Amino acid sequence: MPKIKIQSEYPDLDKYKFTHNKDIIYFKKGTILYHNPYGPAYIGSDGYKVYWVDNELHRLDGPARILPNGKEEYWINNIELTKEEFEKHPKRLKFLGKEHLTFLV
């Protein structure tokens, strides 16, 4: 699928727009690694959003994949989790400043 490079709002990311559907994708600067630690790395014109960090599905503050139909998937370091597993995951609790709760899970 042809894409064109456009101006990125982040100095450490390359940003592209697909010519056929206007979807946006971010890569780590100078690479083809899907990457955006600031938000979704893929933003579909249909509402599809995917969060990647260093080419891994990853998000600690919410779902890493949001499908156009509203379905949400939770991933940490490229491992899919249920919402319940995600909510108790030690990396998420540390991100939220609640690592003291890890002994309860």
Side-chain angles (χ1 to χ4, degrees), residues 10-40:
Y10 308 108
D12 55 336
L13 302 178
D14 290 328
K15 183 178 182 180
Y16 292 87
K17 182 184 280 192
F18 289 97
T19 57
H20 70 288
N21 62 6
K22 309 301 182 217
D23 291 1
I24 300 289
I25 192 154
Y26 291 91
F27 295 111
K28 186 177 268 192
K29 189 127 190 123
T31 73
I32 55 167
L33 295 174
Y34 299 117
H35 183 77
N36 186 352
Y38 316 110

Side-chain angles (χ1 to χ4, degrees), residues 44-89:
S45 56
D46 61 357
Y48 182 56
K49 292 182 182 174
V50 186
Y51 292 75
W52 277 293
V53 174
D54 290 322
N55 227 32
E56 291 187 341
L57 286 162
H58 180 79
R59 187 175 179 200
L60 296 174
D61 62 342
R65 285 183 69 203
I66 303 167
L67 304 172
N69 65 5
K71 183 179 185 248
E72 297 178 338
E73 296 178 4
Y74 297 86
W75 295 75
I76 295 177
N77 296 116
N78 226 30
I79 298 171
E80 187 172 13
L81 305 167
T82 66
K83 186 173 183 177
E84 293 76 25
E85 291 169 331
F86 171 78
E87 293 292 339
K88 298 181 207 175
H89 195 283

